[in-house]
């Protein structure tokens, strides 16, 4: 039996646009309505935890109301043909709900909470509904905060992600403006002889490094197009 090729899908907010979840930096995006420093930094949490909690509760509600789109479903289907890993900057669980079994969340998972005290990494607490309250506490009595990586915080899964990307045969980047580091730097981790593709309607405005095939399309359409090209496999 021949070994399956390795495939990494590296996704950003554009992956979920067709599920009705707005991106961060497009026109009308989330960061036009909110200031990063008010809702997505450790300082924001210290200054006004209620505001931060409310912001993420609204995001969680929207995610729970949304469904995986064609791009999430196609990504999950790739597992039949490739040894597939999803590396996502997204904090939603739409890849998992679409059926992907190997999903690495670089920026955390909004459906989980962690302690806001000193031992944040000790335990994750699943959040059942959409609402997390400041009266919900960890085992040590500190308020629970969303398990998301805020600006200014470390990205604990970065090295693991870079290692996986450096070994992949096919690397597909979908729906990320490549603005937020260190995650955006992962685009350089793929090996020279791997097949590298970027799918994004604004792809030509992104600084795609040499060697990438650029598909200026939405996520679902771009994946369909690429699958057709690989039709000997499908
Ligand atoms: P951005 O909002 O910065 O970029 C979204 C990208 O999706 C843009 O390049 C769009 O052109 C593209 N896009 C829009 N519609 C699309 C569609 N239908 N199909 C495919 N692509 C589409 O989002 P990210 O790059 O994911 O971090 O942002 C990175 C990080 O910044 C996020 O993880 C978040 C945010 O602040 C944290 O919260 C730490």
């Amino acid at each position: 039996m021949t070994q399956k090729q390795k495939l990494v899908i590296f996704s950003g907010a554009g992956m979920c646009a067709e599920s009705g979840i707005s991106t961060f930096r497009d026109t009308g995006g989330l960061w036009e309505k909110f200031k990063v420093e008010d809702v997505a930094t450790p300082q924001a949490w210290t200054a006004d935890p209620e505001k931060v909690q409310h912001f993420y509760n609204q995001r969680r509600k929207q995610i729970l109301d949304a469904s995986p789109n064609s791009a999430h479903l196609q990504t999950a289907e790739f597992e039949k043909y490739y040894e597939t890993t999803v590396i996502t900057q997204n904090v939603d669980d739409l890849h998992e709900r679409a059926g992907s079994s190997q999903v690495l969340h670089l920026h955390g998972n909004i459906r989980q909470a962690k302690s806001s005290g000193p031992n944040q990494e000790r335990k994750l607490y699943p959040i059942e509904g959409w609402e997390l309250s400041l009266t919900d506490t960890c085992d040590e009595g500190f308020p629970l905060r969303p398990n998301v990586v805020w600006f200014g915080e470390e990205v604990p899964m970065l090295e693991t992600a870079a290692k996986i990307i450096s070994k992949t045969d096919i690397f597909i980047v979908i729906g990320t403006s490549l603005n937020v580091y260190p995650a955006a730097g992962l685009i350089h981790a793929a090996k020279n002889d791997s097949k590298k593709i970027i799918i994004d309607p604004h792809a030509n405005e992104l600084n795609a490094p040499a060697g990438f095939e650029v598909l200026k399309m939405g996520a679902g359409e771009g994946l369909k197009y690429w699958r057709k090209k690989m039709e000997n496999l499908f």
Side-chain angles (χ1 to χ4, degrees), residues 112-182:
Q112 298 167 339
K114 63 183 181 182
S115 171
S116 60
N119 299 314
Q120 299 196 351
E121 307 311 327
R122 193 169 282 173
K123 185 171 168 185
L124 293 173
Y125 300 78
I127 304 171
E128 284 311 323
W130 59 272
E131 204 167 14
L132 188 62
S133 147
L134 288 176
T135 56
D136 295 327
T137 54
C138 72
D139 299 342
E140 293 169 317
F142 293 99
L144 288 175
R145 55 163 275 187
N147 176 32
V148 299
V149 173
W150 286 328
F151 285 87
E153 293 187 318
E154 260 183 54
V155 178
M157 296 308 285
L158 191 72
E159 262 183 47
T160 308
K163 218 174 258 173
I164 295 168
I165 294 170
S166 73
K167 292 187 185 141
T168 198
D169 303 298
I170 307 166
F171 182 46
I172 308 185
V173 179
I174 305 181
T176 171
S177 63
L178 300 170
N179 258 299
V180 175
Y181 284 81

Side-chain angles (χ1 to χ4, degrees), residues 3 33 51 54 61 70 77 84 96 101-102 107 124 134 142 151 154 157 176 183 206:
Q3 235 194 335
K33 299 185 188 104
K51 187 181 204 171
H54 178 72
K61 192 167 192 291
S70 149
E77 217 184 309
T84 308
E96 287 91 339
S101 63
Q102 301 294 326
H107 291 161
L124 293 173
L134 288 176
F142 293 99
F151 285 87
E154 260 183 54
M157 296 308 285
T176 171
L206 308 174

Side-chain angles (χ1 to χ4, degrees), residues 11-18 22-26 31 36 40 56 89-91 107 148-151 174-180 183 199-203 205-206 217-220:
S11 63
M15 185 87 188
C16 304
E18 287 151 30
S22 61
T23 63
F24 295 97
R25 294 175 186 80
D26 286 294
W31 294 147
V36 167
Y56 284 100
Q89 295 169 81
N90 302 338
V91 296
H107 291 161
V148 299
V149 173
W150 286 328
F151 285 87
I174 305 181
T176 171
S177 63
L178 300 170
N179 258 299
V180 175
I199 301 174
D200 192 302
H202 297 120
E205 292 147 42
L206 308 174
M217 297 175 190

Side-chain angles (χ1 to χ4, degrees), residues 63-135:
I63 286 164
L64 282 171
D65 287 344
S67 306
N69 64 52
S70 149
H72 292 109
L73 296 168
Q74 291 182 69
T75 296
E77 217 184 309
F78 282 136
E79 291 190 11
K80 287 189 203 153
Y81 310 99
Y82 298 107
E83 193 186 316
T84 308
T85 308
V86 176
I87 297 177
T88 187
Q89 295 169 81
N90 302 338
V91 296
D92 61 70
D93 59 350
L94 292 176
H95 278 299
E96 287 91 339
R97 277 153 64 193
S100 284
S101 63
Q102 301 294 326
V103 185
L104 183 155
H105 284 271
L106 282 169
H107 291 161
N109 180 340
I110 199 172
R111 297 200 58 190
Q112 298 167 339
K114 63 183 181 182
S115 171
S116 60
N119 299 314
Q120 299 196 351
E121 307 311 327
R122 193 169 282 173
K123 185 171 168 185
L124 293 173
Y125 300 78
I127 304 171
E128 284 311 323
W130 59 272
E131 204 167 14
L132 188 62
S133 147
L134 288 176
T135 56

